């Protein structure tokens, strides 16, 4: 749909598909199978009587989903002129550093070095805050945190020149700290509802690292395939590539856009 999903509900019977997905832009799409991989609190905040009654059909699932916890982080993005490349460096020419002193930051990356990009048109540096800093400042806005983080950063790297541009980004749902518990995580990485026509997955069902994302993606893909093979889905909608609603963008969701 390439839009923000606002609701997942049942589709009127005469339309053939099982699910009607609505977006905040006011558009609708009808689908045989829906795979949701957005952060669990955002999943639970979606509208749709059928979505919520499907969740409530599995004993303990809503309670399990409500217990999922995430850490929160701010990222400070700094942009530099090409002329500053010689001054903006890390010891040994490293592309990243983990920060373990009293700073609110825990991670710093020189994007050009990490990605092997030359600095002739400028370059950027990304700095992530610690979980503790994210938790203490969760309700602060990005605008309010920008000068605070810039001030901390100038103390961390006093010899670096000031950037020509900077912005702050907040991840309210950054990495999963308490994933969906085993008791309700029925596919070990996804949960199939309504005969598998509604699949819930994403890193909340595993862990927020590469292994966790691959496991969630494989589990979600297997759940969708099982549903396709078991039932008589897809006899109504065409073409094939339009039969999936993907509310999510990265690893887990990408695996299912076959
Ligand atoms: C700052 C940070 C650093 C990280 N560092 C690492 C690392 O170094 N190594 C590592 O392995 N992992 C890292 N992770 C974790 C990794 O990014 C996640 O585990 C991974 O992205 C999870 O993939 P996913 O597809 O499950 O969910 P997500 O990538 O969270 O995708 C969910 C998608 O759903 C979309 N969405 C939300 N609401 C809606 C809606 N209503 N409608 C439509 N779409 C919606 C979101 O925009 C998002 O694109 C990091 C995460 C963060 C935030």
């Amino acid at each position: 749909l390439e839009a923000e999903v606002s609701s997942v509900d049942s589709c009127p019977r005469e339309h053939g598909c099982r699910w009607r997905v609505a977006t905040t832009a006011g558009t609708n799409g009808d689908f045989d199978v829906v795979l949701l991989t957005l952060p669990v609190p955002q999943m639970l905040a979606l509208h749709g009587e059928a979505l919520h009654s499907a969740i409530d059909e599995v004993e303990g699932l809503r309670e399990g989903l409500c217990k999922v916890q995430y850490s929160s982080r701010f990222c400070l993005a700094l942009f530099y002129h090409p002329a500053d490349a010689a001054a903006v460096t890390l010891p040994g020419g490293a592309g990243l550093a983990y920060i373990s002193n009293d700073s609110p930051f825990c991670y710093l990356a020189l994007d050009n070095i990490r990605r092997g990009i030359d600095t002739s048109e400028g370059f950027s540096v990304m700095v992530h805050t610690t979980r503790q800093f994210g938790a203490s400042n969760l309700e602060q806005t990005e605008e309010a945190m920008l000068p605070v983080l810039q001030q901390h950063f100038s103390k961390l790297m006093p010899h670096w020149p000031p950037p020509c541009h900077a912005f702050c980004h907040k991840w309210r749902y950054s990495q999963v700290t308490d994933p969906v518990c085993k008791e309700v995580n029925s596919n070990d990485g996804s949960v199939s509802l309504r005969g598998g026509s509604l699949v819930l997955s994403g890193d909340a069902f595993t862990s927020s690292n590469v292994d966790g994302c691959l496991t969630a993606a494989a589990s979600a893909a297997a759940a969708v395939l099982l549903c396709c093979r078991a039932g008589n889905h897809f006899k109504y909608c065409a073409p094939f590539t339009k039969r999936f609603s993907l509310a999510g963008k990265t690893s887990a969701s990408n695996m299912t856009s076959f």
Side-chain angles (χ1 to χ4, degrees):
L1 293 174
E2 295 180 357
E4 188 180 344
V5 171
S6 55
S7 146
V8 178
D9 216 335
S10 52
C11 193
R13 206 168 266 279
E14 63 273 19
H15 290 258
C17 296
R18 290 194 74 157
W19 298 99
R20 174 156 295 176
V21 177
T23 73
T24 51
T27 52
N28 283 340
D30 294 344
F31 300 92
D32 297 302
V33 179
V34 172
L35 165 60
L36 296 174
T37 66
L38 55 172
V40 166
Q42 291 173 319
M43 216 181 258
L44 291 173
L46 291 175
H47 297 287
E49 209 182 310
L51 165 69
H52 289 280
S53 51
I55 290 172
D56 290 332
E57 279 160 18
V58 178
E59 198 185 337
L61 179 57
R62 182 173 295 278
E63 292 73 15
L65 294 175
C66 287
K67 284 183 189 154
V68 173
Q69 297 284 326
Y70 293 79
S71 61
S72 303
R73 277 181 208 283
F74 288 89
C75 166
L76 178 64
L78 304 166
F79 298 87
Y80 291 88
H81 283 298
D84 291 329
V88 178
T89 56
L90 291 170
L96 62 89
Y98 291 98
I99 301 153
S100 55
N101 59 16
D102 277 346
S103 155
F105 302 112
C106 63
Y107 175 81
L108 182 158
L110 271 67
D111 242 19
N112 59 306
I113 296 183
R114 291 218 62 201
R115 294 169 199 266
I117 303 167
D118 79 73
T119 55
S120 58
E121 291 186 19
F123 59 98
S124 60
V125 172
M126 302 265 284
V127 206
H128 291 175
T129 62
T130 60
R131 286 180 184 188
Q132 294 80 354
F133 186 88
S136 312
N137 295 282
L138 183 56
E139 299 311 329
Q140 297 283 353
T141 63
E142 293 166 347
E143 292 72 24
M145 292 317 290
L146 178 60
V148 175
L149 292 177
Q150 280 183 295
Q151 202 177 12
H152 281 292
F153 189 75
S154 60
K155 284 185 203 150
L156 183 72
M157 292 295 179
H159 306 303
W160 282 16
C164 56
H165 179 62
F167 72 81
C168 175
H169 180 79
K170 174 165 76 174
W171 278 280
R172 180 174 288 272
Y173 306 113
S174 175
Q175 281 116 319
V176 180
T177 53
D178 298 335
V180 175
C181 60
K182 283 192 187 323
E183 290 72 28
V184 290
N185 199 345
S186 45
N187 304 331
D188 284 335
S190 67
V191 171
S192 304
L193 304 173
R194 298 271 166 105
S197 66
L198 177 63
V199 179
L200 314 183
S201 187
D203 60 352
F205 293 75
T206 51
S207 54
S208 296
N209 54 36
V210 174
D211 284 352
C213 289
L214 288 173
T215 303
S219 174
V224 171
L225 281 175
L226 194 68
C227 172
C228 302
R229 290 192 185 124
N232 58 352
H233 291 297
F234 311 141
K235 64 183 180 187
Y236 302 106
C237 300
F240 184 79
T241 49
K242 292 223 171 118
R243 289 171 189 157
F244 296 92
S245 166
L246 302 175
K249 70 163 167 40
T250 57
S251 45
S253 35
N254 283 346
M255 288 291 286
T256 56
S257 56
F258 37 68

